[in-house]
Amino acid sequence: MRELQNNLKSKREDLSYLKKELMLQGVMPSDIGGQDYDEFLQVLHSEKREDRVMSAADAHKRSRGG
C-alpha cells in the first residue's frame, strides 16, 4: 500500500513538473484543463524526479540495484 501511495505521489509530481515545463514554453496550466490556485502553486514548486527527496524504501531499493 505504501509503495502505491509513493507511486501515485510521484506521478502527481511528474504531472506538475510537466505543467511547469509547459508554462516555461508559454502554455498556461489552465489551458491544459481546469486549474485552481493550489495546483498552480504546486506546479510552480514542482521538481524533476531526480531532484526530489527519495523515500527510505526507494533509497534502499536503489542501493541494492533495484
Side-chain angles (χ1 to χ4, degrees):
M1 181 68 156
R2 182 82 160 167
E3 186 175 343
L4 181 61
Q5 290 172 329
N6 287 336
N7 286 339
L8 182 58
K9 183 177 183 240
S10 282
K11 288 180 190 235
R12 270 189 259 141
E13 290 174 356
D14 289 342
L15 182 57
S16 291
Y17 183 75
L18 173 61
K19 289 179 181 179
K20 179 180 178 178
E21 290 297 308
L22 289 171
M23 282 178 53
L24 295 174
Q25 300 298 318
V27 178
M28 290 304 296
S30 59
D31 295 338
I32 298 168
Q35 190 71 33
D36 65 18
Y37 184 71
D38 289 333
E39 186 174 6
F40 181 73
L41 290 177
Q42 183 179 2
V43 168
L44 289 176
H45 292 91
S46 62
E47 298 178 6
K48 290 181 187 178
R49 182 178 284 235
E50 52 271 2
D51 293 341
R52 293 183 213 143
V53 175
M54 189 181 309
S55 72
D58 288 341
H60 179 70
K61 200 183 296 184
R62 185 174 284 181
S63 71
R64 302 191 102 214

